[in-house]
Amino acid sequence: MIYQSFAELYDELFDPAMYDQWLDFVANRVAPTSGELLDLACGSGRLGVLLAQHGYQVSGLDLSEEMLALAAKHAEEADVTMPLMAGNMLDLSDIGQYQTVTCFADSFCYLSDLDQVTQAFAQVHDHLAVGGQFLFDVITPHQTDDVYPGYMYNYVDETRAFVWTSYGIEDETHAAEHDLTFFTKNEETGEYRKVTELHHERTYPLADYQRALAAAGLTVKRVSADFGEHEVAPDTTRWFFEVTREA
């Protein structure tokens, strides 16, 4: 194995079961015949490919050109049509309208503050058809405050190792940092390379998300836990939102 980029390594080791769960969450709420669907912050396109394979007219948008290259590769390998666009969720002025917008893997939690989250919601509103659905998830304050601090996950095989360590942030409420480190072996030389990234996430109380959605002109239909299977509880680690544009 030659040296790989962080995006490739992260894509390979991400739990594939979550993509199936996101697919089911969408499929139980939106029919493939409902119209065009935008997967916002689509990453490597694995969810988009699954949606396309199930008959959805899906396009993907992401800020990372490297992730979009992986998405194009996955779409080609799966022999599906999935238009891809480079863009920032804070300014979607160059794209059209969609009947459905999805945004998973707590992508909104990577924005810097609640003002940016509200701005992103407003952009979704402007590109969501009246009567359309907006489906997304975010991590909860319980996840950032109680679960992530001190969390560690390690993965090792014959050619690579992955170390994920999470920390709480004392001077920032409901925030966490993830130190992600890969060690990859070049089989041609036997040398190892260290690849690292630091990810910062921040979330907010449920009422703040609800106010931000209302400020953006969107209407919350339901908030749930466990990919829509259960109602919200104090130990919920991820909220799933079902939102619509009524006007």
Side-chain angles (χ1 to χ4, degrees):
M1 184 180 76
I2 62 172
Y3 289 142
Q4 292 176 283
S5 70
F6 180 89
E8 290 173 304
L9 291 163
Y10 188 80
D11 179 46
E12 288 178 9
L13 293 177
F14 195 93
D15 182 2
M18 293 195 71
Y19 294 116
D20 293 328
Q21 291 172 301
W22 281 316
L23 171 65
D24 290 342
F25 181 75
V26 176
N28 288 332
R29 290 154 182 82
V30 179
T33 55
S34 293
E36 292 190 58
L37 182 152
L38 174 66
D39 189 23
L40 191 61
C42 67
S44 66
R46 291 195 181 273
L47 174 59
V49 166
L50 287 174
L51 288 165
Q53 289 174 326
H54 283 75
Y56 290 86
Q57 301 175 57
V58 57
S59 299
L61 183 144
D62 201 272
L63 186 62
S64 168
E65 295 281 1
E66 191 172 12
M67 283 294 188
L68 289 171
L70 285 172
K73 175 185 174 184
H74 295 324
E76 182 179 4
E77 290 172 345
D79 193 25
V80 298
T81 299
M82 183 171 65
L84 298 168
M85 299 165 283
N88 189 326
M89 66 172 69
L90 297 176
D91 182 5
L92 301 177
S93 56
D94 292 335
I95 69 172
Q97 277 201 330
Y98 294 83
Q99 187 64 32
T100 306
V101 176
T102 60
C103 188
F104 295 116
D106 40 275
S107 296
F108 290 115
C109 297
Y110 286 87
L111 297 175
S112 62
D113 54 36
L114 190 59
D115 286 343
Q116 283 199 346
V117 173
T118 306
Q119 181 180 343
F121 288 164
Q123 289 295 301
V124 170
H125 170 275
D126 292 347
H127 296 276
L128 184 66
V130 174
Q133 294 197 66
F134 174 32
L135 307 174
F136 70 94
D137 65 13
V138 293
I139 53 175
T140 67
H142 171 62
Q143 180 76 11
T144 57
D145 301 354
D146 304 320
V147 179
Y148 275 149
Y151 174 83
M152 177 175 286
Y153 171 78
N154 298 324
Y155 172 89
V156 180
D157 64 22
E158 293 182 355
T159 59
R160 61 193 170 181
F162 172 47
V163 180
W164 170 8
T165 307
S166 296
Y167 310 92
I169 302 176
E170 291 185 1
D171 58 351
E172 188 175 359
T173 57
H174 310 318
E177 286 188 342
H178 309 292
D179 187 350
L180 307 177
T181 303
F182 289 93
F183 296 91
T184 61
K185 183 179 181 180
N186 187 322
E187 292 181 352
E188 297 174 0
T189 66
E191 296 177 343
Y192 282 84
R193 177 193 181 202
K194 181 180 179 181
V195 182
T196 64
E197 278 199 8
L198 185 65
H199 288 202
H200 177 275
E201 286 192 279
R202 185 178 182 184
T203 194
Y204 308 91
L206 180 57
D208 286 359
Y209 284 110
Q210 292 169 323
R211 282 191 289 269
L213 288 162
L218 296 164
T219 301
V220 178
K221 295 167 57 180
R222 183 180 181 226
V223 183
S224 59
D226 303 320
F227 297 88
E229 295 296 320
H230 299 100
E231 297 304 315
V232 169
D235 61 350
T236 295
T237 58
R238 187 183 298 267
W239 290 317
F240 290 80
F241 284 79
E242 300 168 45
V243 178
T244 189
R245 177 182 174 182
E246 295 185 342

